Amino acid sequence: MTDKKNILLIMPYGGVGGMERLAVTFYNFYKKKGYGVKAIKFIKLPDDIVHFNEDELFFSEKDFYQMSKLERLNFYLKAPLRIRKIIRKHQITHSISFGDMANFFSSLSRTREYKVGSIHALKSVEFENKTLLNKAYKYSYKHSYQNLDKLVCISKAIKSDLIENCGYRFPENIDVVYNPHNLPAIQAMSKEQIESKEERQLFKDDIIMFLGRFSYQKASWHLVKSFALIQQKYQKAKLVFVGNGVENVKKELDRLIDKFGLSSKVFFLGSKENPYKYLKKAKVLALTSYYEGTPNVIVESLSLNVPVVTSLCTDGIIEMMSLKPRRIGLDAVHVEGGIITPSFYKGVLGIPDSDDFTEEEEIFADSLISVLQDEKYGQTLMKNKHDLLDKYQIEKVCDSYLNSHVSL
């Protein structure tokens, strides 16, 4: 391997999700260090938020759902060969793939660069959805992932889950490395002014904010229902969604908003090039996910002094928001970064059949009200922010990805 580092970043999409923002963080850091960097998006769409300038490559401008079964099969079969061709053409010395699809195709490319994969969510829960791709990914955990030099898990909880619940056969190549964040850059971007007069006016209210993709994983219907409960006790609050996502999930959110009469209190702002100037002005960040890894948006929120209320979608949440181990039971637990509530996940990833309020939604609503009404949560976060965020420092993390050492 040469002294010159040529790095390839591999990802499925260019949307506003955590993995995409993470890829941009890597891209900017490695470019600043003088490395050669290229980035592959499997799918490039007109509304992409994430871009890599002249270093961007892509395989298709048609999304998977727009492809016929034959077209998708052809895409899957050719993807490893396309990756192989790019690696050879650009003399890539290191590749980093983001998520199962990218890991899978990279592991099949049979190239000789230092090959790094990454896992960003609790896979045992995700694999309960028995899709063909999930079956292929689980199979690869027992076979092709041995071709990776390093598999980064972004929390200890994810590593344990892979080995104990997913049949992962190559624990010797797993390394736990927390997601990197360019915290000074995030803080600088948060100081930009919101251009729209209407949006500036909106953020003068007590804002509960969701930032990310609407997906079945994020289970934002629980957030809307919790917000309906909040309105019975704290009518000053408003709920703002920044991001986009699955059409059926958005339709469900719209249905609940209409049913509970929330149309004047819930706002969808779409994807934003700079979401941090909005997040900075929120009173609290809210997550109701069924499963996660270590959500980037939590780190981003903490860095902007915005407390977080989140369900226990993975034990990795405790690693992020608390300075000491905690046990989360049937009640909310107050930690240095905000409040962690009981998990919403009941063994089914889809939209619930009933609109009846659950105990978990009531606890979540009360926790949001607590943060909205009491400044102590922001003060506690300010006091502990440095210690909470130290493990996400960008230089330490980005260097760890390229380092051949694996901590066992």
Side-chain angles (χ1 to χ4, degrees), residues 5 8 55 80 86 104 107 127 189 196 207 221 226 234 262 296 313 322:
K5 289 184 174 67
L8 180 65
D55 298 310
I86 288 169
F104 180 49
S107 73
F127 285 162
M189 291 174 69
S196 164
I207 299 299
W221 43 83
S226 296
Y234 191 79
L262 301 173
N296 294 326
C313 43
S322 176

Side-chain angles (χ1 to χ4, degrees), residues 376-400:
K376 74 176 183 182
Y377 295 95
Q379 294 167 355
T380 300
L381 171 56
M382 284 282 290
K383 180 180 177 181
N384 294 282
K385 184 170 73 170
H386 178 270
D387 292 334
L388 285 170
L389 297 177
D390 182 63
K391 57 182 172 287
Y392 305 106
Q393 294 297 330
I394 184 170
E395 184 148 4
K396 181 189 302 184
V397 175
C398 287
D399 287 345
S400 294

Side-chain angles (χ1 to χ4, degrees), residues 122-141:
L122 208 64
K123 304 311 295 187
S124 61
V125 177
E126 193 169 306
F127 285 162
E128 290 184 13
N129 189 3
K130 309 292 185 182
T131 66
L132 182 61
L133 277 179
N134 276 345
K135 290 178 181 178
Y137 298 153
K138 193 167 184 179
Y139 179 84
S140 68
Y141 285 1

Side-chain angles (χ1 to χ4, degrees), residues 224-388:
V224 172
K225 290 175 67 185
S226 296
F227 184 70
L229 292 170
I230 289 172
Q231 288 301 297
Q232 300 173 13
K233 302 177 181 179
Y234 191 79
Q235 296 185 355
K236 291 169 56 179
K238 292 183 178 178
L239 175 61
V240 171
F241 288 86
V242 174
N244 55 23
V246 179
E247 183 178 353
N248 286 344
V249 173
K250 177 59 165 57
K251 287 181 179 178
E252 173 64 8
L253 302 184
D254 288 339
R255 185 188 70 80
L256 290 170
I257 290 166
D258 182 65
K259 174 172 180 173
F260 294 116
L262 301 173
S263 60
S264 65
K265 293 295 188 75
V266 182
F267 299 82
F268 294 90
L269 303 188
S271 296
K272 299 291 184 181
E273 290 278 356
N274 177 7
Y276 308 118
K277 59 185 177 183
Y278 298 90
L279 180 56
K280 174 70 173 178
K281 295 185 180 301
K283 285 291 185 73
V284 58
L285 177 79
L287 293 91
T288 55
S289 300
Y290 281 157
Y291 63 94
E292 288 282 1
T294 54
N296 294 326
V297 69
I298 289 182
V299 178
E300 294 161 355
S301 188
L302 298 180
S303 76
L304 299 179
N305 305 319
V306 179
V308 178
V309 173
T310 177
S311 60
L312 185 67
C313 43
T314 169
D315 287 344
I317 293 290
I318 302 171
E319 297 174 51
M320 301 182 77
M321 291 182 56
S322 176
L323 295 177
K324 59 184 179 182
R326 311 269 187 161
R327 177 180 292 276
I328 313 297
L330 300 178
D331 298 310
V333 175
H334 300 243
V335 296
E336 290 83 355
I339 302 177
I340 304 174
T341 71
S343 173
F344 287 102
Y345 182 62
K346 303 297 182 184
V348 179
L349 288 177
I351 296 170
D353 294 329
S354 172
D355 291 340
D356 292 344
F357 293 110
T358 67
E359 183 177 359
E360 290 79 13
E361 289 164 350
E362 292 174 355
I363 294 172
F364 197 83
D366 288 341
S367 297
L368 286 170
I369 291 174
S370 294
V371 175
L372 290 171
Q373 291 183 325
D374 196 333
E375 293 182 358
K376 74 176 183 182
Y377 295 95
Q379 294 167 355
T380 300
L381 171 56
M382 284 282 290
K383 180 180 177 181
N384 294 282
K385 184 170 73 170
H386 178 270
D387 292 334
L388 285 170

Side-chain angles (χ1 to χ4, degrees), residues 140-153:
S140 68
Y141 285 1
K142 302 177 181 180
H143 300 278
S144 67
Y145 270 56
Q146 67 180 321
N147 299 325
L148 300 177
D149 293 286
K150 179 183 288 190
L151 178 66
V152 170
C153 292

